Amino acid sequence: MRAPKLFKTIKAGPVLVVELLGVVSSLAGTAVLQELEEVRTELREGGHKALVIDLAAATYFGSSLLEAIRILWNDVSAVGGHIALCNASDVGREVLEIAKFDKVWPLVNSRAEALRTVMI
Amino acid sequence: MPTVLIVDDSSTDRLRAGGLLHQIDDLNIEYAVDGSDALVKIELHVPDMVITDMVMPELNGLELVAVMRKAYPIVPVVLMTSRGSEDIAVQALRAGASSYVPKRMLNFQLADTVRQVFAVAREDRGRSRLMRRIVAQHVLFAIENDHELIASLVHYLQDCASTVGVCDEADRVRTGVALQEAITNASFHGNLEVSSSLREIDHRQYYDLARERLTQPPYSQRLIRVSARFSPEEAEFCIKDEGPGFDRNTLPDPTDPANLERPCGRGLLLMRTFMDEVKYNAVGNEVTMVKRRKSSATERIQGIAR
């Protein structure tokens, strides 16, 4: 399997952590979509009901990343699971607030806090 | 005389690095015992360069780089890395550190690296001074529906807005988000005529259709035309596609809780929020966005609030 460029996954017990490795400016590239599909497969096949998205390396993002998170959120919600986001930059937090996703996706300051949030 | 601040919790490494820099003429060397101590010293006297260890008890090298990028963006930071700190050093370089020297190579590389980083910083400062004297700049692009070209164009336009002084770092990022959204809309919804409603069914179908149309006339022959005018007061971006246009009033309100799960309208919402002015032509295939420099009064108020 080739090394991920944008979405690195880490298993933390029952939780799947998706670490952003950089800025996702568009989902138009085949490789980006392919990586997103690989995360979805891992989520499904691993039976994970809890998902943490670590945004530390995404210094900024727009609707493309929101769309990718929305897709993963739909997948995890479909099996009654939970999602939490952590380590958003100031502008990233602003984008989430403008799109009102901060109302539905818990947004916390650290990965440890996000893991606690989805484990409840 | 330029000042270099060396930050390391190990007194041996700190003094070793300082000793190696004595071979550079006319250099004032200061020391800090960790990241927190460095910030106190930087507040008292902003150095011309910071050289920092990565692993420190109070504030580590990565955290120090993040603070420096935000508060002192023109001061270059050089990292001293040791075995085991490579991952954190990569993150720090991504976060904006200028260079790094492995500690085991300090004797051979530190002085040369410092000289090189100073030379680049001098050049950057000179360019930055010159760019702030631009009275007006106008650029025109005609690009294909290529997402890599779009990303490069966004970076270029962000840099232009930033170098003429319209945007500070945070506004530079916001401007980039708005431009990315506007140009992506022009490509997907304008030139390739792919509707967001398809994305509601399956995002893969949406991108598959877009990919198909990249090679299919008339979609493949359409270009995105971007005109950007910069002055020290404002940046105006006009983005035009060659599609039939769209009626933005048909878009659902993405902030309505009922529409949160729908993938439509968020790009436009970000554009409206991050730009000072957004207007469409009657057909809906040309958007003009204006970003104005914050007035000095606004900057003062925000400075007080910070």
Side-chain angles (χ1 to χ4, degrees):
Chain A
M1 189 189 279
R2 64 196 156 64
K5 287 188 176 157
L6 286 170
F7 306 110
K8 178 181 167 190
T9 54
I10 301 151
K11 289 185 186 78
V15 186
L16 186 68
V17 178
V18 178
E19 198 177 291
L20 267 288
L21 298 177
V23 171
V24 179
S25 57
S26 166
L27 295 186
T30 333
V32 184
L33 274 182
Q34 180 61 36
E35 276 196 39
L36 179 62
E37 287 311 310
E38 281 166 13
V39 175
R40 296 180 76 195
T41 307
E42 195 171 345
L43 193 61
R44 200 172 45 243
E45 290 179 354
H48 298 284
K49 284 193 168 185
L51 179 68
V52 164
I53 300 187
D54 191 331
L55 301 163
T59 44
Y60 69 91
F61 51 82
S63 62
S64 295
L65 183 64
L66 292 180
E67 189 194 346
I69 301 175
R70 190 189 58 79
I71 291 164
L72 296 172
W73 175 46
N74 282 348
D75 288 350
V76 87
S77 301
V79 292
H82 300 284
I83 187 171
L85 275 50
C86 61
N87 295 324
S89 64
D90 290 348
V91 176
R93 189 173 277 273
E94 214 176 328
V95 167
L96 288 161
E97 286 168 2
I98 292 163
K100 306 279 184 219
F101 277 124
D102 62 318
K103 309 278 184 225
V104 286
W105 300 335
L107 176 58
V108 295
N109 292 327
S110 69
R111 191 183 290 192
E113 208 179 334
L115 287 169
R116 280 197 299 274
T117 305
V118 291
M119 295 285 271
I120 292 169
Chain B
M1 186 190 293
T3 300
V4 170
L5 177 67
I6 298 173
V7 191
D8 200 319
D9 57 323
S10 152
S11 57
T12 315
D13 287 352
R14 210 164 50 227
L15 294 173
R16 186 171 143 229
L20 289 165
L21 293 184
H22 279 304
Q23 57 182 285
I24 301 177
D25 293 336
D26 297 327
L27 196 63
N28 180 37
I29 299 164
E30 302 281 341
Y31 298 96
V33 296
D34 57 37
S36 297
D37 184 34
L39 289 181
V40 173
K41 296 208 157 113
I42 292 167
E43 255 186 53
L44 292 171
H45 173 68
V46 181
D48 298 279
M49 184 186 297
V50 171
I51 299 173
T52 182
D53 182 26
M54 292 309 302
V55 185
M56 293 179 291
E58 278 298 310
L59 189 82
N60 69 29
L62 178 60
E63 291 160 334
L64 181 59
V65 169
V67 176
M68 293 297 296
R69 282 292 294 162
K70 211 166 180 177
Y72 309 96
I74 62 163
V75 178
V77 180
V78 173
L79 314 171
M80 295 186 287
T81 59
S82 46
R83 281 189 205 284
S85 70
E86 292 87 354
D87 282 353
I88 194 170
V90 169
Q91 287 179 54
L93 286 166
R94 280 193 186 133
S98 299
S99 189
Y100 75 98
V101 183
K103 276 195 173 177
R104 63 194 154 80
M105 302 297 280
L106 278 187
N107 293 4
F108 311 103
Q109 294 183 355
L110 185 64
D112 280 348
T113 304
V114 166
R115 280 191 197 99
Q116 282 163 13
V117 171
F118 264 136
V120 172
R122 259 195 303 273
E123 208 177 296
D124 283 353
R125 262 198 287 270
R127 184 172 174 273
S128 168
R129 284 185 63 215
L130 178 65
M131 291 302 117
R132 284 184 192 280
R133 283 154 179 80
I134 286 180
V135 177
Q137 184 185 8
H138 185 199
V139 289
L140 288 167
F141 288 91
I143 62 166
E144 297 86 354
N145 300 286
D146 174 329
H147 66 94
E148 283 179 7
L149 268 181
I150 293 174
S152 301
L153 177 57
V154 169
H155 279 292
Y156 175 79
L157 296 173
Q158 272 180 300
D159 285 349
C160 290
S162 177
T163 46
V164 296
V166 172
C167 299
D168 59 16
E169 184 52 30
D171 269 338
R172 180 185 184 281
V173 174
R174 293 189 190 102
T175 301
V177 172
L179 284 167
Q180 179 74 45
E181 300 295 342
I183 304 176
T184 303
N185 277 350
S187 173
F188 277 75
H189 304 316
N191 285 346
L192 302 177
E193 291 183 58
V194 192
S195 162
S196 278
S197 55
L198 189 59
R199 203 161 36 172
E200 287 190 58
I201 305 162
D202 184 345
H203 69 279
R204 283 166 297 196
Q205 282 182 29
Y206 173 88
Y207 289 105
D208 284 348
L209 181 61
R211 237 187 322 275
E212 238 173 81
R213 291 190 171 174
L214 283 175
T215 55
Q216 221 175 64
Y219 315 103
S220 58
Q221 292 157 339
R222 294 173 177 165
L223 297 174
I224 307 164
R225 294 178 192 280
V226 178
S227 149
R229 290 173 193 278
F230 301 95
S231 76
E233 293 309 312
E234 65 175 38
E236 184 192 84
F237 307 97
C238 180
I239 295 143
K240 186 174 186 178
D241 62 68
E242 296 177 339
F246 85 112
D247 180 1
R248 66 188 182 285
N249 296 318
T250 57
L251 282 176
D253 172 6
T255 62
D256 181 337
N259 294 329
L260 269 185
E261 291 189 39
R262 300 179 65 185
C264 324
R266 263 177 217 110
L268 195 52
L269 176 69
L270 292 174
M271 286 154 60
R272 284 205 312 253
T273 311
F274 288 158
M275 289 287 180
D276 294 303
E277 202 179 309
V278 176
K279 56 183 186 228
Y280 276 87
N281 67 353
V283 185
N285 68 349
E286 180 183 296
V287 61
T288 303
M289 309 191 292
V290 179
K291 185 76 188 171
R292 297 197 178 90
R293 190 169 74 89
K294 281 187 198 128
S295 68
S296 46
T298 316
E299 279 167 359
R300 272 202 303 275
I301 291 164
Q302 288 183 341
I304 292 163
R306 257 181 236 130

